[in-house]
Amino acid sequence: MKNRRYITTPLYYVNARPHLGHAYTTIMADVVKRHYTQRGDEVVFLTGTDEHGEKIAQIAAREGKAPQQLADEVSADFKETWEKMNLSFDIFYRTTSPSHVAAVREALTLLKSKGEIEFREYEGNYCVGCERFLTDTELTADGTCADHQKKPEHRKEGNYFFLMSNYQQKLIDHLESHPESIRPDQYRGEILSFLKNEKLGDLCISRPKSRLTWGIELPFDSNFVTYVWVDALLNYLAATGWPDAQKYDEKLWNEAVHLIGKDIVKTHSVYWFSILMALGVKPPKSLNVNGYWLIGGTKMSKSLGNVVRPLDVEGTYGRETLRFYLLREMSYGNDSTFTLESFVNSVNAHLANGIGNLCSRVLTLCQKNGVTQVPAGAKLESADQALLDRRAQALQEWNAAFEELKYQNAVKSWSELVTACDLYINEQKPWALAKDPAQSGRLHTVLTVCMQVIEALGVLIYPVLPEASLKICGALGLETPDLSAVTRAEVRAFPAIAEVPKLFMRIALPAPEADSKA
Ligand SMILES: [Zn+2]
């Protein structure tokens, strides 16, 4: 039976247009989905937009729009951006959809009936940026919100609270007994330390309509709407059909892996896990947490500001260059710096000169010399076999990289196979063999072995470079990037190379004139 997997990105808040941070997490989800699909798993990939709340209402008012209009525009921008970037999401989910609104109301009704929600008067420091009351420990020494560097407003109001404090020990027990619940492990350690050292408060889940109407009305009190975080988090579960018993795909939910940035680990572990526990639903299998992309470089940083809209990078520097760079440069879980210099260098060294050059060299030689197979009776030499054996190691490293969230190693696994094949070609000198008619048999053997390795590369690059992968596979007559091409023991016969695919161009930094104009 097929393994099933459910991979989600956060639903992106429509207060901003798609940027590098959003792109990274969404690209990661796409890469992971493609990897597991190649392994034969069935993967559901969810992304979408989070559309309610005070900030959206404020931005819409400033722009003279209805909040729904703003949400529609920004949501469409996200969807189109991901489509144009060839990101293979299965569900694009919106928190203003009627089915989501119904699921949130159902969840709140259930929590209320279980005695998990209480009405209370509350007085305290309210940060508009955070859209919630802050506890004293969350304020800086001079009384401002650490995230927004603004003094919170003093507010007094009646609100509904989810009794999250009852879940402090249950959360600790869950995180301790589920080492995979938050990965990499440093983030699980941070949340455990928070839960063990600070008293967990209750969670205010409502906003009075007197100051905010852009939200989902509470099912049990029409004077209030739902706090946007509670509304948004429920998307992951609602998208699996919950709470409709007929539609709910519980087996899929049990495989849920949330890909998130490090700024939202607490909301996803503490708030979300405890809400699920209160609903009687299992917490997700894992939160996979990535670090921040910092925009660096000195004189380039200004022009980069324009270029870092993900689609613009692809428009300027070519398809798939951004995915490759992001995957190769970030050690998952830690912060990384994006500089245009390192981007250009990386693309040139590894894509244009690396795999791109190898493919074009070999396939051009095959085309010229009409090479399709190892001649009958020809034997493989030990160098041929050693190169072919190298594929198994690459596959093993590639699989391990995905299991361990060490995505850099997935890129490394096939880059090393490129290097090994380059070395083999330099030693075997097929261009010299081609000049000597007596060496024709050896020429055909060497180039067919190379084609076999390039076919394996075409398959292994698929998660990170899907378009290039399909071009390579297509040139070699392989319909899908099937893993059996990597493990195949015999060297197969290939079709005659009709056209050598163009993969990656060398790129350059923008000229100084263009820089100052930007
Ligand atoms: Zn704040």
Side-chain angles (χ1 to χ4, degrees):
M1 216 179 77
K2 280 189 169 188
N3 282 322
R4 298 182 76 206
R5 294 173 187 271
Y6 180 37
I7 298 167
T8 69
T9 74
L11 292 203
Y12 300 117
Y13 206 34
V14 294
N15 66 335
R17 298 281 171 161
H19 58 58
L20 189 64
H22 303 124
Y24 177 72
T25 309
T26 317
I27 286 170
M28 281 311 314
D30 184 67
V31 169
V32 170
K33 174 185 168 175
R34 290 179 192 272
H35 166 81
Y36 284 112
T37 306
Q38 272 184 301
R39 284 168 67 169
D41 297 352
E42 183 193 320
V43 185
V44 176
F45 164 10
L46 169 134
T47 190
T49 43
D50 170 13
E51 306 180 7
H52 290 121
E54 201 159 350
K55 258 185 279 187
I56 306 308
Q58 285 170 348
I59 295 169
R62 212 160 53 220
E63 295 182 8
K65 288 173 187 165
Q68 186 68 59
Q69 187 194 346
L70 174 77
D72 289 346
E73 287 170 10
V74 181
S75 181
D77 189 6
F78 273 98
K79 187 159 183 266
E80 274 168 33
T81 301
W82 304 150
E83 280 167 350
K84 284 181 182 159
M85 292 177 73
N86 194 24
L87 304 184
S88 60
F89 56 86
D90 301 287
I91 305 172
F92 189 91
Y93 195 92
R94 298 184 58 185
T95 59
T96 51
S97 67
S99 62
H100 178 73
V101 172
V104 170
R105 290 170 60 89
E106 185 65 32
L108 293 172
T109 302
L110 192 60
L111 291 173
K112 185 82 167 41
S113 74
K114 288 181 162 195
E116 301 278 358
I117 290 176
E118 240 177 55
F119 186 78
R120 279 183 207 154
E121 288 288 339
Y122 191 84
E123 190 172 354
N125 293 308
Y126 185 89
C127 174
V128 176
C130 295
E131 301 194 4
R132 62 185 179 88
F133 286 99
L134 302 180
T135 62
D136 290 344
T137 54
E138 286 175 302
L139 297 177
T140 61
D142 51 344
T144 62
C145 166
D147 286 342
H148 295 95
Q149 276 118 39
K150 265 193 191 158
K151 243 192 165 46
E153 297 168 19
H154 185 84
R155 285 188 185 179
K156 181 181 176 182
E157 60 187 36
N159 264 312
Y160 288 89
F161 285 79
F162 164 55
L163 305 181
M164 190 163 71
S165 56
N166 292 342
Y167 289 88
Q168 185 150 12
Q169 190 56 46
K170 288 180 189 131
L171 287 166
I172 293 172
D173 294 345
H174 179 80
L175 295 187
E176 286 188 330
S177 60
H178 295 79
E180 294 217 323
S181 56
I182 309 179
R183 304 197 299 165
D185 206 48
Q186 75 216 51
Y187 293 106
R188 188 173 65 112
E190 281 173 18
I191 296 295
L192 271 171
S193 153
F194 161 75
L195 287 168
K196 287 177 177 175
N197 294 309
E198 286 178 49
K199 193 177 159 3
L200 190 60
D202 292 327
L203 181 65
C204 179
I205 59 148
S206 63
R207 295 293 180 265
K209 276 194 186 167
S210 54
R211 65 177 163 88
L212 177 70
T213 55
W214 183 236
I216 299 175
E217 190 180 285
L218 293 188
F220 41 81
D221 190 337
S222 62
N223 293 313
F224 293 85
V225 296
T226 311
Y227 171 41
V228 66
W229 263 111
V230 173
D231 161 355
L233 287 166
L234 282 159
N235 90 83
Y236 301 124
L237 180 63
T240 66
W242 188 94
D244 184 330
Q246 302 296 313
K247 289 187 193 149
Y248 179 34
D249 189 344
E250 190 177 0
K251 285 196 176 122
L252 185 67
W253 171 254
N254 288 339
E255 298 302 322
V257 172
H258 299 328
L259 272 56
I260 59 172
K262 70 176 188 181
D263 52 330
I264 51 177
V265 182
K266 193 169 156 190
T267 43
H268 276 75
S269 52
V270 180
Y271 296 6
W272 182 221
F273 286 17
S274 60
I275 291 169
L276 286 166
M277 287 172 178
L279 289 170
V281 176
K282 268 209 244 172
K285 199 169 173 179
S286 187
L287 299 179
N288 290 358
V289 183
N290 65 254
Y292 289 150
W293 276 99
L294 311 168
I295 306 300
T298 45
K299 74 184 178 62
M300 281 304 153
S301 58
K302 201 176 165 208
S303 64
L304 196 60
N306 303 322
V307 142
V308 146
R309 280 177 61 98
L311 259 184
D312 295 347
V313 176
E314 293 215 328
T316 311
Y317 296 105
R319 296 286 283 177
E320 304 192 335
T321 52
L322 182 66
R323 336 174 23 117
F324 171 78
Y325 175 81
L326 298 181
L327 258 288
R328 188 176 183 280
E329 295 300 316
M330 181 172 264
S331 158
Y332 195 78
N334 299 322
D335 293 349
S336 257
T337 302
F338 186 114
T339 72
L340 205 45
E341 290 90 339
S342 79
F343 172 75
V344 166
N345 290 339
S346 186
V347 167
N348 286 338
H350 303 287
L351 293 184
N353 294 353
I355 190 164
N357 184 46
L358 173 69
C359 289
S360 105
R361 259 170 108 189
V362 169
L363 299 184
T364 304
L365 278 168
C366 290
Q367 189 183 37
K368 253 195 194 158
N369 295 284
V371 175
T372 58
Q373 60 187 316
V374 174
K379 280 222 171 93
L380 295 187
E381 294 183 2
S382 62
D384 309 338
Q385 199 54 56
L387 179 64
L388 291 168
D389 290 347
R390 190 68 189 63
R391 294 173 305 160
Q393 192 188 334
L395 179 63
Q396 208 175 19
E397 288 165 1
W398 183 82
N399 279 327
F402 282 93
E403 294 306 319
E404 295 160 8
L405 313 190
K406 293 186 173 150
Y407 302 109
Q408 284 177 310
N409 291 355
V411 173
K412 217 171 126 204
S413 68
W414 51 259
S415 323
E416 285 174 0
L417 192 54
V418 170
T419 309
C421 195
D422 277 335
L423 268 173
Y424 171 83
I425 292 171
N426 291 344
E427 282 164 8
Q428 302 298 324
K429 303 185 172 49
W431 56 89
L433 297 173
K435 286 180 191 149
D436 180 356
Q439 295 285 2
S440 164
R442 184 62 194 148
L443 172 70
H444 282 250
T445 301
V446 165
L447 288 177
T448 311
V449 165
C450 288
M451 275 201 277
Q452 186 61 76
V453 172
I454 287 175
E455 184 184 34
L457 280 167
V459 171
L460 290 175
I461 65 171
Y462 176 73
V464 182
L465 302 168
E467 289 178 23
S469 161
L470 296 178
K471 281 187 197 170
I472 294 172
C473 290
L476 297 175
L478 187 69
E479 274 174 30
T480 56
D482 193 324
L483 286 180
S484 63
V486 186
T487 49
R488 181 186 295 126
E490 77 283 8
V491 180
R492 76 169 173 107
F494 291 91
I497 301 299
E499 203 189 330
V500 177
K502 290 205 172 24
L503 297 175
F504 301 102
M505 311 282 283
R506 282 187 63 82
I507 58 173
L509 287 170
E513 290 80 13
D515 193 31
S516 61
K517 201 167 60 193

